[in-house]
Amino acid sequence: MTLERTLSIVKPDAVQKNLVGAVLAKLEAAGLRIVNTKMMRLTVGQAQAFYAVHRERPFYESLVTFMTSGPVVVSVLEGENAIARNREVMGATDPAKAAEGTIRKAYAESIERNAVHGSDAPETAKAEVAFFFSGCDL
Ligand code: CDP
Ligand code: MG
């Protein structure tokens, strides 16, 4: 049994469409517990830093513009194999390839406006949680 923590973001497209509750409900139903959560509007600098791993990719600039276009809801989720579990319930990056029942299948508009972010590995989960929350929040 591996109790893990991961970082989740409800992206601006889903917040704009009043889907915060629906998205968090799907995460909770998948066995993920919300340890802490907050709504915030990312600055351009924060979005650039958060997605720095993608800075050479053609979609980077557009992604930063999208992620700063409105508020997001950032959460720390905990559960057994939380990182993989979250990725599973999120579905594939491209909603056209996402499985039935996943958040992206249900709510994503496009490969960019795809409703949610989730950490992809233990190291990135640790770094992404620390990016948004300090020790005393958790
Ligand atoms: O979010 P995920 O880990 O599934 O995908 P990623 O490959 O780490 O890409 C990060 C984000 O960049 C995606 O969630 C999309 O919002 C965006 N993206 C895009 O706009 N166009 C692509 N071809 C790939 C990703
Ligand atoms: Mg990723």
Side-chain angles (χ1 to χ4, degrees):
M1 160 144 172
T2 324
L3 199 64
E4 283 178 340
R5 286 181 173 186
T6 190
L7 188 91
S8 163
I9 303 178
V10 184
K11 294 183 178 181
D13 58 322
V15 175
Q16 169 62 30
K17 289 185 283 188
N18 285 357
L19 292 170
V20 174
V23 170
L24 295 182
K26 278 188 184 285
L27 296 172
E28 290 189 321
L32 297 163
R33 191 172 68 83
I34 300 169
V35 177
N36 204 341
T37 190
K38 62 183 173 188
M39 180 174 274
M40 62 188 292
R41 176 106 181 226
L42 296 179
T43 65
V44 169
Q46 286 168 337
Q48 286 172 334
F50 184 76
Y51 279 117
V53 67
H54 294 309
R55 66 187 171 275
E56 307 299 338
R57 310 282 293 277
F59 59 81
Y60 179 66
E61 207 173 314
S62 176
L63 175 62
V64 169
T65 300
F66 162 55
M67 289 300 292
T68 56
S69 67
V72 295
V73 173
V74 187
S75 307
V76 178
L77 306 177
E78 185 176 78
E80 202 172 328
N81 297 311
I83 298 165
R85 191 79 195 93
N86 182 38
R87 297 287 306 189
E88 207 175 287
V89 68
M90 284 165 59
T93 307
D94 181 353
K97 296 177 184 153
E100 282 301 333
T102 62
I103 292 167
R104 283 167 164 169
K105 177 72 178 184
Y107 303 130
E109 287 171 30
S110 66
I111 194 166
E112 176 179 85
R113 300 171 66 85
N114 60 2
V116 278
H117 167 84
S119 311
D120 62 6
E123 314 77 62
T124 49
K126 197 165 183 227
E128 291 178 359
V129 166
F131 185 88
F132 286 109
F133 294 92
S134 66
C136 61
D137 297 323
L138 306 168

